[in-house]
């Protein structure tokens, strides 16, 4: 066990080790095969909530407003402020172009405000999902401590166990040693569940941060565009917005949308990998089913 893990999981109490040591009769090797089984069962039961299916649809649902925002943004064309060429441009006044762009922006802005709210709601849902693992991780610690007590008690008893055995048979000492090795391996596996659970939470935390940042970025895009179009006051102002400035605002927001989408996709992949590993570990700790 690493020093980091040791600092998280304390040693079992001496009284617990003493009681378990007293319960292990070195003259009854038939009981060695099931020594510590109740601790293993408790460990598997405690780890089950970590492997329980969480709502994976949250990741896909959070991507929907991102896609909708990108689509809405793509329909807003700052180049429509530029006069059209040819005869059409003769009847295309600057004021008319500005009004059309303003209307298009206001329609898009209303949609974007709604999508920003949805992104914040999804961020809250993902944060809640991550938080659900906290009590599950805490519940796993005591069974790990208890299993450590069984292992230590068994090791202390080894000196009292018969080392001789008929030819071709395993000595009681070796039987208990093998059982203790299996228990120690199970404890290491159980400890591995804690960083895997934290990996799932970290993936959700990254997605939450990106969704919140995207909602903020939508607000910044809205404020900047309103100012550029002269819509930041009670009444529209006379302005000559530059298409390049509006395009830069949209480009900046699109980059944030792309980052958030990548974070969701990557987070879902990492969560799936960690969840699969957790399920495998928990299955190895669970007693075999009858039949």
């Amino acid at each position: 066990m690493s020093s980091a893990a040791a600092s998280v999981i304390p040693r079992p109490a001496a009284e617990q080790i003493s009681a378990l040591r007293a319960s292990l009769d070195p003259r009854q090797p038939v009981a060695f095969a099931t020594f510590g089984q109740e601790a293993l069962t408790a460990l598997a039961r405690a780890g089950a909530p970590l492997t329980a299916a969480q709502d994976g649809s949250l990741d896909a649902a959070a991507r929907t407003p991102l896609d909708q925002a990108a689509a809405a943004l793509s329909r807003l064309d700052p180049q429509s402020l530029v006069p059209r060429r040819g005869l059409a441009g003769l009847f295309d006044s600057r004021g008319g172009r500005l009004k059309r762009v303003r209307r298009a922006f206001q329609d898009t802005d209303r949609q974007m405000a709604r999508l920003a709210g949805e992104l914040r709601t999804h961020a809250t849902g993902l944060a809640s999902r991550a938080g659900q693992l906290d009590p599950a991780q805490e519940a796993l610690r005591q069974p790990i401590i208890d299993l450590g007590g069984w292992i230590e008690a068994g090791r202390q008893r080894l000196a009292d166990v018969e080392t001789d055995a008929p030819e071709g048979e395993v000595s009681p000492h070796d039987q208990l040693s093998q059982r203790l090795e299996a228990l120690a391996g199970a404890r290491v596996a159980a400890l591995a569940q804690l960083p895997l659970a934290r990996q799932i939470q970290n993936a959700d935390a990254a997605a939450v941060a990106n969704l919140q940042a995207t909602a903020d970025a939508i607000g910044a895009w809205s404020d900047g565009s309103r100012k550029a179009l002269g819509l930041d006051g009670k009444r529209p102002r006379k302005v000559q917005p530059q298409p390049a400035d509006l395009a830069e605002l949209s480009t900046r927001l699109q980059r944030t949308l792309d980052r958030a989408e990548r974070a969701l996709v990557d987070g879902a992949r990492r969560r799936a990998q960690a969840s699969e590993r957790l399920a495998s570990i928990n299955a190895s700790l669970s007693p075999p089913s009858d039949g």
Side-chain angles (χ1 to χ4, degrees):
M1 182 174 63
S2 69
S3 59
S7 66
V8 175
I9 306 297
R11 287 180 54 80
E15 296 81 1
Q16 178 192 21
I17 296 173
S18 179
L20 292 171
R21 182 179 183 278
S23 70
L24 178 60
D25 189 346
R27 297 165 299 180
Q28 298 292 329
V30 68
F32 293 170
T34 58
F35 180 69
Q37 187 57 50
E38 63 184 83
L40 285 180
T41 301
L43 203 60
R45 188 183 302 116
L50 292 175
T51 62
Q54 297 181 34
D55 190 358
S57 65
L58 291 177
D59 304 273
R63 292 175 60 184
T64 298
L66 291 174
D67 294 339
Q68 292 176 347
L73 198 61
S74 68
R75 291 192 294 268
L76 192 63
D77 183 14
Q79 289 301 314
S80 59
L81 288 167
V82 178
R84 288 178 289 178
R85 295 183 177 181
L87 292 175
L90 297 177
F91 306 97
D92 192 13
S93 67
R94 180 164 56 85
R97 293 193 302 274
L98 180 57
K99 286 182 180 179
R100 288 194 297 272
V101 171
R102 281 173 168 172
R103 284 196 299 269
F105 164 75
Q106 288 170 326
D107 289 342
T108 302
D109 190 40
R110 283 190 290 269
Q111 183 178 4
M112 288 296 217
R114 174 181 59 80
L115 294 173
E118 291 183 14
L119 290 172
R120 294 190 189 280
T121 298
H122 287 303
T124 299
L126 291 173
S128 177
R129 182 177 69 180
Q132 291 173 2
L133 290 179
D134 286 333
Q137 291 180 82
E138 193 58 37
L140 185 61
R141 298 178 191 279
Q142 189 59 50
I144 292 176
I145 296 172
D146 292 341
L147 181 57
W150 285 85
I151 295 170
E152 182 61 29
R155 287 171 176 168
Q156 290 181 12
R157 264 301 192 202
L158 272 175
D160 303 323
V161 179
E162 181 63 51
T163 58
D164 294 331
E167 186 176 353
E169 295 184 14
V170 179
S171 71
H173 184 280
D174 287 347
Q175 291 179 43
L176 182 56
S177 293
Q178 291 169 9
R179 179 59 176 174
L180 294 176
E181 288 178 7
L183 294 180
R187 187 171 185 274
V188 170
L191 283 168
Q193 293 182 95
L194 296 175
L196 285 169
R198 183 63 64 189
Q199 181 178 328
I200 291 175
Q201 290 181 309
N202 289 341
D204 276 343
V208 168
N210 275 276
L211 291 178
Q212 292 174 335
T214 302
D216 292 340
I218 288 175
W221 166 84
S222 177
D223 292 342
S225 298
R226 284 183 173 278
K227 185 176 181 180
L229 293 170
L231 296 173
D232 52 334
K234 292 182 178 179
R235 295 181 179 179
R237 295 182 289 105
K238 291 183 178 180
V239 292
Q240 296 185 30
Q242 297 299 314
D245 295 339
L246 290 170
E248 175 58 27
L249 289 168
S250 294
T251 298
R252 204 177 304 159
L253 176 56
Q254 184 60 56
R255 289 172 183 157
T256 305
L257 292 168
D258 291 342
R259 280 195 299 271
E261 180 129 8
R262 287 195 298 270
L264 283 172
V265 172
D266 181 63
R269 176 184 57 79
R270 288 191 289 148
R271 286 185 69 257
Q273 291 174 343
S275 295
E276 182 178 351
R277 179 63 181 141
L278 280 170
S280 175
I281 290 174
N282 197 252
S284 71
L285 299 175
S286 301
S289 59
D290 295 335

